[in-house]
Amino acid sequence: MLKIHNSLTKQKDIFTPIEEGKVSLYVCGMTVYDLCHVGHARVMVVFDVVVRYLRSVGYDVTYIRNITDIDDKIIARANENGETIQALTERFIDEMYQDADALGTLRPDQEPKATESMPEIITLIETLIEKGFAYASDNGDVYYDVSQFDEYGKLSGRVIEELRAGERVEVNEQKDDPLDFVLWKAAKSGEPAWDSPWGQGRPGWHIECSAMSATCLGEHFDIHGGGQDLQFPHHENEIAQSEGAHGCQSVNYWMHNGFVRIDDAKMSKSLGNFFTVREVLKQYAPEVLRYFILTSHYRSPLNYAEDQLEQAKATLTRFYTALRDVAAAEVRWQDDKDYGARFREAMDDDFNTPLALAILAEVRQALNKADPQEASYLAGLLVCLGAELGLLQQTADAFLLGDDDDSEILTLIEQRNTARAEKDWAAADVARDSLTAMGIVIEDGADGTSWRRI
RNA sequence: GGCUGCGUAGCAAAAUGGCCAUGCAGUGGAUUGCAAAUCCAUCUACGCCGGUUCGACUCCGGCCGCAGCCUCCA
């Protein structure tokens, strides 16, 4: 029985889909004006695992992740760079795919873009005005009237009066109330703009997700995900918009993943303390980053540190070492009564990937001890369990050896083995020292010498 | 100030009212020409103070410390 921690109820709820056997999932994606950083990687990997797991236990999942391709930052960056908004966003959408693909994340079923959803966005704003949840101001802005939505604050646990007391909301003369938020922004000169009943303008940030989720998944769907920082105000506002306009509950389960931190501070663009996925992948295999992300539960903070990546790398090396030279059998983990059952228990408990990885480690150890027939089964089990986490899907050689030229390595190994055959240990060690200097580790086994890169 | 969440061994990270997490690192042993890999064994825990209980890392209360949100942010 799958349980999901629901930000709306603040507890683990038993997951019951709206329509039996089907799951509709919407995840807030990237604003495309720069490269993805490790925080973005976490969202991608976490929800990738959610999708993989839900599918593996039989759900027909529709996975939507939007792309925000128009907003203040995009406009500012395009101006800075002296390029068009379209050129900028297309470039970074392409970069995003490079990172997402490297990390082995499955493509969402649909990736709606804000700029391609204008009719839906405008219709939604019109509905909100008709129903009295929104008002147009003199300058062509349209605002959501927070006081009209009784349940405002239900997701983030906020109370309107307290927000007002906070006094940190900037005063804007166009708004009736400082807490009201913008649905449609009137265009300033030179800004990209779309026609609307309120004049030329562009959508506010929150409205696009309400429009696109309803378009792709309907007015009421199962799971909405995103980073914890989106819980307020973005998701709170999304609820106000969707539920105000549609008059029904919009989302059953809200999932929020924790932050990536550096030195105990949130990794963020505004603090400037971020690593891009691209930078990390220069030094580590994508699978290492993915493994690192999954070593922590998705709701916990994840402290980014190089030695943690080294640990992840060492662990993966052991997994692939165990898989090396074993012909993996075709196995369905769902049929395995021991490890498979415990894996399911772990994942059913709000996607507990650290516990799931502990079970994979047990399989690995059993595999190392097993006789050939059992080994083949356990290797198959390991690979198919790994698949649900997006791990262990390469060949052992691809991970351990890489695909750089290895002729020199093979020559040295041959030299060393010739020396060993003659019991010329000094010469053998010279060859090995050369290999060590090249970052190569040698392993003499019963049937020959194998090697791997450090 | 308001609202969340967290504090587990050298590092990372789970579960659990009474028994093993797990990974990386360390130590001892087996194995090896020596290594590596592997196996066996093993050392380090539950922020502090009270309470509930036969028994608490686990439940309750207080304290301390940390992070996040309240403003753009995955």
Side-chain angles (χ1 to χ4, degrees):
Chain A
M1 194 186 333
L2 173 63
K3 286 196 222 152
I4 297 180
H5 179 92
N6 189 351
S7 306
L8 201 56
T9 59
K10 289 158 189 64
Q11 61 180 14
K12 283 182 200 170
D13 290 337
I14 293 168
F15 178 70
T16 313
I18 294 167
E19 194 178 336
E20 203 184 327
K22 293 194 174 180
V23 178
S24 41
L25 169 68
Y26 184 94
V27 175
C28 283
M30 260 53 76
T31 301
V32 282
Y33 69 99
D34 208 341
L35 292 172
C36 293
H37 63 226
V38 179
H40 298 114
R42 191 177 193 190
V43 184
M44 293 195 275
V45 168
V46 161
F47 288 101
D48 181 64
V49 168
V50 167
V51 170
R52 284 171 188 261
Y53 181 68
L54 289 172
R55 286 184 178 149
S56 80
V57 295
Y59 287 110
D60 176 9
V61 181
T62 306
Y63 174 29
I64 311 295
R65 188 178 62 205
N66 73 295
I67 295 172
T68 298
D69 61 350
I70 178 69
D71 91 322
D72 292 353
K73 285 186 174 165
I74 290 172
I75 295 170
R77 182 63 60 90
N79 285 339
E80 263 171 52
N81 293 356
E83 63 184 325
T84 64
I85 280 154
Q86 206 182 13
L88 177 82
T89 56
E90 273 175 14
R91 194 152 54 85
F92 283 111
I93 287 169
D94 184 58
E95 301 282 7
M96 175 187 81
Y97 283 134
Q98 284 183 36
D99 291 337
D101 292 350
L103 287 166
T105 57
L106 305 169
R107 293 280 178 105
D109 296 303
Q110 285 182 64
E111 295 178 273
K113 297 187 183 113
T115 57
E116 291 171 4
S117 310
M118 287 304 158
E120 293 86 349
I121 289 171
I122 288 167
T123 305
L124 187 60
I125 297 174
E126 285 179 315
T127 305
L128 285 168
I129 293 176
E130 276 165 33
K131 293 197 172 182
F133 287 103
Y135 56 91
S137 73
D138 304 336
N139 71 341
D141 286 352
V142 180
Y143 292 96
Y144 190 97
D145 183 349
V146 168
S147 69
Q148 292 304 303
F149 187 68
D150 293 341
E151 292 178 295
Y152 193 77
K154 70 175 173 180
L155 177 67
S156 55
R158 260 152 253 260
V159 181
I160 289 184
E161 291 71 50
E162 283 169 1
L163 282 170
R164 207 160 271 146
E167 280 298 328
R168 289 184 61 182
V169 183
E170 230 174 86
V171 180
N172 175 330
E173 286 168 9
Q174 302 297 328
K175 293 183 187 178
D176 290 353
D177 182 318
L179 297 183
D180 292 348
F181 57 90
V182 71
L183 298 172
W184 188 261
K185 292 184 178 188
K188 302 190 181 87
S189 67
E191 285 183 349
W194 287 260
D195 287 325
S196 83
W198 317 284
Q200 290 257 307
R202 63 194 152 90
W205 174 36
H206 315 298
I207 195 71
E208 66 178 68
C209 285
S210 287
M212 293 187 287
S213 62
T215 302
C216 297
L217 297 173
E219 296 178 359
H220 182 204
F221 57 96
D222 293 303
I223 306 174
H224 189 127
Q228 208 166 47
D229 43 3
L230 299 183
Q231 194 170 340
F232 189 90
H234 186 236
H235 290 158
E236 193 67 65
N237 291 351
E238 227 180 294
I239 289 176
Q241 293 163 346
S242 298
E243 302 193 354
H246 303 137
C248 64
Q249 173 150 12
S250 57
V251 175
N252 283 159
Y253 302 87
W254 285 88
M255 290 178 67
H256 292 100
N257 65 275
F259 298 127
V260 177
R261 295 193 207 165
I262 292 181
D263 298 328
D264 288 323
K266 177 185 169 185
M267 179 184 287
S268 74
K269 297 229 164 153
S270 35
L271 291 175
N273 61 345
F274 62 91
F275 285 87
T276 62
V277 172
R278 212 55 63 81
E279 284 172 278
V280 178
L281 296 189
K282 272 185 200 158
Q283 228 180 327
Y284 295 96
E287 193 172 354
V288 171
L289 179 55
R290 186 177 181 106
Y291 187 94
F292 164 67
I293 289 170
L294 296 176
T295 55
S296 149
H297 183 86
Y298 75 89
R299 283 188 288 117
S300 302
L302 176 65
N303 215 7
Y304 181 87
E306 193 147 313
D307 62 311
Q308 294 313 312
L309 287 168
E310 289 294 338
Q311 283 191 18
K313 183 178 168 181
T315 307
L316 274 174
T317 300
R318 297 215 164 171
F319 273 113
Y320 277 114
T321 305
L323 289 169
R324 184 171 58 185
D325 304 325
V326 182
E330 282 286 318
V331 177
R332 272 176 45 86
W333 67 264
Q334 291 87 340
D335 300 331
D336 188 274
K337 295 287 183 289
D338 180 14
Y339 303 108
R342 286 193 288 136
F343 178 85
R344 177 156 193 167
E345 225 175 284
M347 292 299 284
D348 271 353
D349 185 11
D350 196 27
F351 309 99
N352 191 336
T353 55
L355 189 54
L357 289 174
I359 292 158
L360 296 217
E362 286 183 48
V363 177
R364 190 208 72 200
Q365 195 155 32
L367 165 58
N368 281 329
K369 286 190 262 189
D371 61 56
Q373 200 191 345
E374 208 191 344
S376 172
Y377 172 79
L378 289 169
L381 182 63
L382 196 52
V383 168
C384 73
L385 286 172
E388 307 311 353
L389 304 172
L391 297 170
L392 307 180
Q393 299 305 294
Q394 314 182 52
T395 63
D397 281 353
F399 184 86
L400 297 171
L401 310 185
D403 51 10
D404 292 344
D405 178 45
D406 56 7
S407 54
E408 195 184 349
I409 295 161
L410 297 178
T411 307
L412 280 163
I413 289 174
E414 215 169 297
Q415 281 173 14
R416 175 169 169 274
N417 281 337
T418 307
R420 286 173 70 219
E422 294 163 1
K423 296 204 191 304
D424 183 354
W425 308 126
D429 287 346
V430 166
R432 185 169 58 200
D433 289 345
S434 308
L435 287 160
T436 305
M438 294 163 67
I440 304 301
V441 175
I442 292 301
E443 290 160 12
D444 297 325
D447 35 47
T449 298
S450 47
W451 61 278
R452 62 187 160 86
R453 291 181 204 276
I454 295 176

